[in-house]
Amino acid sequence: MARPADWTDLTGSPADPVPGRPADVRDEAARMGRVADSIRDQVTALNRIAGAQSSTLKGQYAGKITSAAGSLATNLGKAEHRYRTASGELSKWADALDTAQKESFDEYTAAETALAQEKANTPVAPGHGQSVPPKTPAQDSGLTAAHDALSKAKGDWAATKGRFDDAAHQHATAIRAADSGDGLHDSRWDKFKETVSNWSRVISDVCNGLGWLATLCAVVALFVPGLNVLAWIALGATALSLIGHTALAVSGKGSWFDVGLDVFALVTFGAGRFAGKGVEAARDGLEATLHGPAALRAGAKAADGVLENSKTELAAAKAVVDDPAASPVAKLAARGRIDTIDQAAGDARDAEMARIKDLADHGYDFDKIEFKWPTLKAIAHGDHAAAAQREWAEKVASEMKSVDPHVMTDVAGLESKLTQAQRAFQAGAGADSIDKLLGSVAPWHGGVSPWPGWQGYYNTTRNPFYTYNLGTSW
C-alpha cells in the first residue's frame, strides 16, 4: 500500500513519520542470520581442530595450531552472537515498523475523514459578497464530532509514535549490548591503521611529491649556491615523507624499504650537516693560520733568504763600518749598503706576508648567493662552496708545502672534512637516484623497469614480506 505524500494534517510535518520498508529490513535480518549460520559452521570446524587428539596432528605445529584454533573459535563465537542478535532484533523491528506504518496510515485516514467532515459542516457564503449563514444544529453537531474525531486520530498517532520510538530504542539497545560486552572491538591502533589504509593512495602520492621536492631543492642548490634555506626545506620534506611512509608501512599499505630510504636520507643529511660544521671550523682554522703564524714564518723566511743571498756583501759592509782605519766617506757608503740590504729584506718579508694573507682570502666568498652553472666538481661535492673550498685547499697545499710545512696539517684537516661531507652527499644522492629512477619511474612503466634485471627492486619494495598485514587485533 502506497504511503501518503503529505502527513501535515496528522503530524504537522509533510514527511512520512514512519519511513522504511519492512520487507527490506526482513531481508537484512535474514542475511545476518545466514552470516551467523556460516560463522557457526566455522566455529564448529575450529573446535574440531582445537579438540584434535595428539595422534591426529603430528609435528611441532600441533600445539600451536590447536591453541590458535581454540582462541579463534571463541572470538568467532562472539561474532556469531552479534550477528544472531542483530538478526533477531531486526526481525522484531520489521514487525514493529510494519505495525506502526499500518496504524499510522489508519490514523491518517481518520484525520483526513475528520477534516472532510469538518469542511462539509462549515457554512460558506452562497455567493460573492454575501454573508456566511449561521450554522444549523446539524452542522454544529457535525463540527463537534469532526473535531473529536481529529483529536482522537492525533492522540492515537501520539500513542503509536510512542510505541514506535520505544520499540526502536529497545531493539537498538539490544544490538548495542550484544556488541559492547564481548571484547571484539578495534583498538585505537586498529582504527589508525584503517584510516591510513583508507587514505593510503593520497598519502603515497603526497610522500612521492615530498621526495621530488627534496630532490628539486638539491638540484636548485647546485645552480644557486649559498641559498641555505633549500637544505632545510629538503630536510622538512624528507621528515614528512618518513612519517607518511612509516604510517603506510605499519598499516600494511606501504614498504619498509621506503621507510629505510627516508631514514638513510635523514642520516646522510645529518652527517653532511655535521661534516659541514667541521668544514667551516677547519676552514676558519686554516685561514687563521695563514693570516697569523704562517704569514709570519713565511715573511721571516723570505727576509732570511734576502740576507743569505747578500751575506758576503753585508759582511764586507760591516767590516768597513767596524774598521778604524776606514775613512768617514767609506763608512757612510758601507752603512748605506747595509740599510739597502735590510730594506730589501724587510720588503721581501712584507711582500711574502701579503702574498700568504692574499692566499688565505683567495677572493672566495663561499656563502655568496648567486646563479652559477654547476661544474663536475660542484656536482661531485654537492654544492659550489665545497668544490671551491677543495680547490682552495689544493692551492694552499701546492704553494705552502715548501714554504711552511706546518700549514699542511691544517690543509689535511680541511680536506678530510670536505671528503666526509662529499661522501655523505654522494651516499644520499645515490640512494635518492635509485629511489627516483626505479621506485617512482617504474610505476609509469606498469611496474616493470625498462632496464632488464632491475625489476627486482620495484617488486621488493612492495613485497608483502616488508609489510604488516592489515586487520583488527582480535
Side-chain angles (χ1 to χ4, degrees), residues 407-421:
V407 176
M408 301 308 297
T409 301
D410 290 343
V411 172
L414 175 57
E415 290 185 327
S416 174
K417 295 300 181 182
L418 285 170
T419 300
Q420 292 176 17

Side-chain angles (χ1 to χ4, degrees), residues 392-406:
W392 177 64
E394 292 171 353
K395 183 177 179 62
V396 171
S398 66
E399 295 194 14
M400 296 298 295
K401 185 175 183 180
S402 60
V403 176
D404 187 359
H406 298 87

Side-chain angles (χ1 to χ4, degrees), residues 189 192-193 196 245-254 256 468-470:
W189 180 243
F192 168 77
K193 292 192 294 183
V196 172
H245 280 143
T246 302
L248 289 172
V250 299
S251 66
K253 291 295 183 178
W256 286 106
Y468 282 150
N469 291 326
L470 177 63

Side-chain angles (χ1 to χ4, degrees), residues 143-205:
L143 285 172
T144 301
H147 291 159
D148 291 342
L150 182 60
S151 296
K152 182 177 184 306
K154 291 184 176 181
D156 291 344
W157 158 243
T160 297
K161 184 176 184 304
R163 292 192 297 272
F164 178 70
D165 291 343
D166 290 343
H169 177 73
Q170 175 185 347
H171 299 309
T173 300
I175 293 175
R176 282 193 294 266
D179 290 348
S180 62
D182 56 12
L184 298 184
H185 296 286
D186 289 344
S187 64
R188 292 181 179 178
W189 180 243
D190 294 325
K191 293 177 180 178
F192 168 77
K193 292 192 294 183
E194 181 181 6
T195 300
V196 172
S197 177
N198 293 337
W199 289 88
S200 60
R201 180 62 181 271
V202 174
I203 297 174
S204 179
D205 290 343

